[in-house]
Amino acid sequence: MMRQVDLVERVKAYDPGADEDALNRAYVFAMKMHGSQTRASGDPYFSHPIEVAGILTELKLDHSSIITALLHDLVEDTDTSLGDIESMFGRDIARLVDGVTKLTRLELQSEQTQHAENFRKLLLAMSEDIRVLLVKLADRVHNMRTLKFIESADKRRRIARETMDIYAPLAERIGMQGFKDELLDLAFAELNPDARGSILTRLDFLQAQGDDLPNLIVDQLKRAVASDGVEAWVSGRRKTPYSIWNKMQHKDITFEQLSDIMAFRVVVGSIEDCYHALGNLHAQYSVVPGRFKDYISTPKPNGYRSLHTGLIGPERHRIEVQIRTRDMHDIAELGVAAHWKYKQSEIKVDGRQYRWLRELLDIMEHASNPEEFLEHTKLEMFQDQVFCFTPKGDLIALPRGATPVDFAYAVHSEVGDTCVGAKVNGRIIPLRAELGNGDQVEILTSRTQTPSPDWEKFVVSGKAKARIRRFVHMKERDQYSELGRQILQKSFREEGYELSDKAIGAVLKKFKADAPDDLFAAVGKGNTTAREVLVAVYPGVRDTAKRRHLWPFQGRGRASANKAKSAALPIKGLIPGMAVHYAHCCHPLPGERIVGIVTTGKGVTVHTIDCETLASFQDTPERWIDVAWDVGETEDMHTGRLHVVVSNEPGSLGNLSTIIGKSQGNISNLKITNRSTDFFEMLVDVQVQDIKHLTDIIAALRAASVISSVERARR
Ligand code: MN
């Protein structure tokens, strides 16, 4: 474990202006608060934050990051509060520690790693300050280094898998090659010790055989590069067992001689020298075709830059060589973390070659929130997504703008079909509300619920849209077919006939229908009239004479509606918005006398019998249909629209809504249509059970002194 003075000295060595006092206080505080807690290794717990801080000094990170590393487990694992940290170390440190704590909680919440890509994105999205992520990665590096002490093999494997699936790719994403290689290899050791063991054995064998070969190659390469005065540092390093294993799995690589498992690196002073060195090597040795890559002119998305080439090199060994400048080297190894190093050693980050880094750093320093950060970074384009959790901690990724209904369908189609409400972070929210990053969503379901056509208007995910649409289509067909059957039954009866499958079956062909249901649906939809079907089945029926009976509203006037009521079509059970629509001109309510108008392709629109709109259908009696609310109570609520004039004074609107609320009415919409100094005029939509419910509300409103008039709105 690193001693306090050593840690402080290390930081001071690369950052002379570091806050020594704060570093000391953080060290002592972490030690004191973690107290006698121990790690699986038996070491005192506080050795862990200190090691994590030590790892970060290798990246030469600023003292705030080092202090954050020292304090990173206090909030999660001790009695320390964020407030304590803020009062001792200031807001900045508290914010960083909070970030790391949040990532830790996230990690604890999601036990499964099958959504690794999403989880990775979430971690990145939640790291408002990239230093939070660096501390978290260093934390993981140390935990992986000490993984072997954990007793449970299951737990070890889980952590190793998570490291391989989430943290190593994350390290790569932000350009931290060093972290990535170490994390992958440590995970590999846990997940596939046999494979790693055999590769290591082979490596050792080749190394013993090759003897001094690496040094020999390095010397010769150096001579070749420097032949015309280019100054270069040349080194050789053994590839990690995991990277060899990975290449063996994905590519057909040879694994015969030592040079196959070494990578050689040439570091020079300038970009010009990179190409110069490349030219010298290509002049001296045969080039392996297809191995040359210029990542200097075309950097990798994570900012990596180098020249790669393959040579039949010294002693005719096939080798790989990477050529880069010192700055490129630092960025390759440290990625984002290289920034702090540049900052304090005054190396200017300029020119096109650092644009990626500069942009990233600019954004990190100036972005006020993670969305803004992500919107601008080239790191990853996923601001079009939002990540939420189930109560069990499973991660669900959805398109931005997603609602609880989208979430429900993402969990399971069944859950989507039956969802009636949602709790987000413990609070009930509307089904159409937009979900945010990190929300925990609990879906409330009811067995009697079915998808509503309304949902289609606000869901954004393809799965939800498709499911709802399919359901609506299916249901709609059922509804049209049921409506059509009833319409036919009624008109057949009025002529003294019974509707039978046999009778219908005989005329299916004529109407180009495959089954009775198809013909019923055509009638329900208004594409075929009941009369046409009747005449087809019984050609003897002459239509003109009987029409009056069928359409009682014509000629004899509206009063006859009453007589026909016994034969009226019940609309109960038909879902509004599908085969049956309530007219928006008159907002019919149960208990009122109503009439239906068949609209081709749309089904039946229900109006109140005194609705003025009906006048425009006088000339098309065949479209009129006698409908009735079914007997008995309906639990469904209906919209009644009121035209209200209220005096313009404080509290009058409150008064209005109180009265309506007391009468068990629910205001679903309110629109002020006119406002003068004395009065408001408005339209109020109220959800009510039936006409009596609405007239009760009207009476209650009329009794209030602030309300000058209330009428049912017509139009
Ligand atoms: Mn930790």
Side-chain angles (χ1 to χ4, degrees):
M1 188 178 71
M2 198 183 295
R3 290 184 310 156
Q4 190 172 343
V5 293
D6 294 338
L7 181 72
V8 175
E9 225 160 68
R10 268 203 190 187
V11 179
K12 296 288 273 186
Y14 63 79
D15 184 3
D19 187 342
E20 200 172 328
D21 171 57
L23 281 165
N24 279 317
R25 280 190 294 122
Y27 191 106
V28 172
F29 187 60
M31 208 159 158
K32 182 180 134 203
M33 294 314 288
H34 282 299
S36 58
Q37 292 174 343
T38 54
R39 300 263 293 168
S41 60
D43 287 341
Y45 194 94
F46 60 77
S47 67
H48 165 67
I50 290 164
E51 291 302 327
V52 174
I55 291 169
L56 292 175
T57 61
E58 287 162 27
L59 307 183
K60 301 192 164 71
L61 286 196
D62 66 331
H63 66 261
S64 299
S65 309
I66 306 299
I67 292 169
T68 303
L70 289 169
L71 307 176
H72 83 269
D73 274 333
L74 287 180
V75 175
E76 191 62 21
D77 293 341
T78 73
D79 291 337
T80 317
S81 74
L82 214 53
D84 299 339
I85 289 175
E86 181 167 346
S87 61
M88 286 183 72
F89 300 97
R91 269 199 67 196
D92 246 23
I93 301 284
R95 189 177 51 83
L96 290 169
V97 171
D98 187 35
V100 181
T101 306
K102 275 183 185 151
L103 294 193
T104 302
R105 285 184 184 152
L106 217 59
E107 166 185 86
L108 295 174
Q109 212 171 18
S110 188
E111 284 276 306
Q112 58 171 16
T113 55
Q114 53 182 333
H115 300 297
E117 180 59 22
N118 291 336
F119 198 74
R120 218 147 54 217
K121 288 173 180 175
L122 180 63
L123 284 178
L124 199 50
M126 303 264 297
S127 315
E128 295 183 35
D129 186 316
I130 204 82
R131 287 175 293 179
V132 166
L133 194 59
L134 295 177
V135 174
K136 191 66 211 164
L137 285 172
D139 175 46
R140 181 51 65 124
V141 167
H142 185 249
N143 285 337
M144 285 304 292
R145 284 180 187 168
T146 53
L147 186 67
K148 56 180 179 288
F149 296 113
I150 290 176
E151 226 168 276
S152 153
D154 275 356
K155 193 173 174 195
R156 282 200 313 270
R157 290 187 69 81
R158 182 181 65 74
I159 294 173
R161 177 118 307 277
E162 197 177 71
T163 299
M164 193 164 270
D165 291 346
I166 293 165
Y167 291 95
L170 206 50
E172 182 179 29
R173 174 68 69 205
I174 60 170
M176 306 192 65
Q177 189 71 30
F179 272 12
K180 185 200 95 175
D181 284 344
E182 183 171 0
L183 287 173
L184 282 177
D185 209 48
L186 288 166
F188 184 45
E190 176 61 41
L191 294 172
N192 204 339
D194 294 345
R196 188 169 182 272
S198 59
I199 287 174
L200 278 173
T201 309
R202 176 88 180 141
L203 284 174
D204 291 344
F205 170 76
L206 289 171
Q207 188 141 27
Q209 239 191 1
D211 197 22
D212 206 27
L213 185 62
N215 288 331
L216 194 80
I217 294 178
V218 165
D219 279 351
Q220 293 203 24
L221 284 178
K222 195 163 184 175
R223 220 168 301 143
V225 170
S227 59
D228 57 355
V230 175
E231 208 179 332
W233 294 264
V234 181
S235 60
R237 79 194 155 90
R238 212 163 91 165
K239 294 173 186 171
T240 65
Y242 180 76
S243 73
I244 293 170
W245 167 256
N246 198 31
K247 273 203 177 134
M248 283 169 66
Q249 280 190 317
H250 296 110
K251 282 184 207 145
D252 202 14
I253 65 150
T254 55
F255 188 24
E256 287 156 15
Q257 48 183 23
L258 183 58
S259 50
D260 289 330
I261 43 117
M262 299 284 295
F264 294 89
R265 189 169 290 146
V266 176
V267 177
V268 294
S270 67
I271 291 182
E272 208 192 324
D273 281 353
C274 289
Y275 290 101
H276 202 144
L278 179 80
N280 288 344
L281 289 175
H282 282 187
Q284 207 102 2
Y285 302 107
S286 310
V287 178
V288 180
R291 302 309 291 262
F292 174 66
K293 299 247 169 57
D294 183 352
Y295 292 120
I296 291 181
S297 63
T298 316
K300 287 189 182 180
N302 66 7
Y304 175 85
R305 305 168 79 221
S306 278
L307 299 175
H308 288 188
T309 191
L311 303 170
I312 307 297
E315 313 291 311
R316 300 211 50 79
H317 284 296
R318 199 183 144 119
I319 55 169
E320 285 172 30
V321 183
Q322 301 167 341
I323 305 168
R324 51 175 76 149
T325 65
R326 166 63 49 189
D327 298 347
M328 290 177 197
H329 179 66
D330 286 345
I331 291 171
E333 292 295 308
L334 305 177
V336 167
H339 166 60
W340 283 273
K341 203 178 156 192
Y342 286 123
K343 213 175 176 182
Q344 59 91 20
S345 59
E346 298 290 328
I347 295 175
K348 284 268 183 298
V349 180
D350 64 321
R352 212 185 42 159
Q353 68 267 36
Y354 294 120
R355 212 183 56 201
W356 163 80
L357 187 59
R358 242 201 6 236
E359 278 174 2
L360 180 58
L361 300 171
D362 262 16
I363 293 154
M364 283 174 345
E365 274 159 19
H366 298 118
S368 54
N369 58 47
E371 274 76 22
E372 198 180 324
F373 170 67
L374 292 169
E375 198 163 47
H376 294 101
T377 23
K378 303 285 179 290
L379 281 180
E380 182 69 86
M381 290 296 137
F382 56 83
Q383 67 275 26
D384 54 341
Q385 275 181 296
V386 51
F387 303 90
C388 304
F389 289 100
T390 66
K392 280 185 191 152
D394 293 342
L395 186 68
I396 306 278
L398 296 163
R400 186 148 291 262
T403 64
V405 176
D406 291 290
F407 183 93
Y409 276 106
V411 169
H412 198 281
S413 306
E414 194 100 330
V415 177
D417 285 347
T418 57
C419 76
V420 288
K423 273 188 189 172
V424 166
N425 306 325
R427 268 208 200 146
I428 297 266
I429 64 157
L431 283 178
R432 61 168 65 235
E434 204 175 298
L435 297 174
N437 248 335
D439 278 350
Q440 181 178 304
V441 186
E442 185 186 344
I443 297 295
L444 313 171
T445 60
S446 157
R447 273 191 309 116
T448 58
Q449 174 73 336
T450 55
S452 155
D454 282 345
W455 293 355
E456 213 188 314
K457 292 176 199 145
F458 60 74
V459 297
V460 297
S461 57
K463 186 179 179 193
K465 271 206 159 72
R467 261 308 274 215
I468 296 165
R469 200 168 295 155
R470 220 188 76 198
F471 178 86
V472 169
H473 278 322
M474 216 175 65
K475 195 80 192 168
E476 222 164 36
R477 221 197 87 89
D478 283 359
Q479 297 260 304
Y480 280 131
S481 157
E482 174 60 17
L483 178 68
R485 200 182 55 77
Q486 295 194 25
I487 291 174
L488 279 174
Q489 209 161 40
K490 183 159 134 21
S491 33
F492 271 56
R493 262 185 209 150
E494 278 163 353
E495 292 292 342
Y497 299 113
E498 261 318 300
L499 178 70
S500 69
D501 279 358
K502 198 178 155 216
I504 290 298
V507 298
L508 283 181
K509 251 202 189 123
K510 188 171 189 300
F511 293 98
K512 297 193 175 81
D514 292 333
D517 272 350
D518 294 334
L519 183 55
F520 294 156
V523 172
K525 236 176 164 172
N527 293 336
T528 301
T529 66
R531 194 76 199 166
E532 281 165 358
V533 179
L534 187 63
V535 170
V537 177
Y538 303 106
V541 177
R542 290 311 331 145
D543 47 348
T544 44
K546 304 284 173 131
R547 193 173 254 183
R548 233 165 253 158
H549 292 287
L550 270 175
W551 311 114
F553 308 107
Q554 199 205 12
R556 279 190 284 162
R558 290 164 179 170
S560 61
N562 251 351
K563 278 191 208 160
K565 202 167 182 181
S566 55
L569 203 82
I571 58 170
K572 191 195 173 188
L574 293 171
I575 301 172
M578 288 186 174
V580 168
H581 309 265
Y582 296 127
H584 290 299
C585 37
C586 51
H587 293 283
L589 293 173
E592 281 190 289
R593 284 167 51 201
I594 47 177
V595 63
I597 297 291
V598 179
T599 309
T600 308
K602 201 180 163 204
V604 172
T605 304
V606 177
H607 295 263
T608 60
I609 204 151
D610 54 354
C611 179
E612 287 167 16
T613 315
L614 290 174
S616 56
F617 300 108
Q618 293 280 24
D619 300 335
T620 49
E622 68 280 4
R623 294 178 61 186
W624 292 62
I625 178 165
D626 190 11
V627 291
W629 305 102
D630 210 354
V631 281
E633 295 285 303
T634 63
E635 315 96 69
D636 297 342
M637 294 299 258
H638 299 261
T639 303
R641 176 167 290 185
L642 299 177
H643 178 254
V644 186
V645 181
V646 189
S647 55
N648 188 357
E649 62 185 77
S652 57
L653 273 178
N655 231 315
L656 171 91
S657 64
T658 305
I659 294 166
I660 293 175
K662 267 190 184 156
S663 315
Q664 309 301 319
N666 196 8
I667 298 178
S668 60
N669 201 358
L670 190 148
K671 189 172 145 197
I672 294 176
T673 52
N674 201 358
R675 186 177 183 168
S676 68
T677 45
D678 302 335
F679 296 103
F680 284 118
E681 268 181 63
M682 62 186 96
L683 289 174
V684 184
D685 286 351
V686 188
Q687 298 292 306
V688 292
Q689 249 133 37
D690 51 24
I691 183 68
K692 184 173 177 305
H693 191 182
L694 188 70
T695 48
D696 286 350
I697 290 175
I698 291 174
L701 286 172
R702 282 182 178 149
S705 59
V706 291
I707 292 163
S708 67
S709 83
V710 188
E711 303 293 339
R712 264 189 93 183
R714 294 296 181 187
R715 177 55 305 198

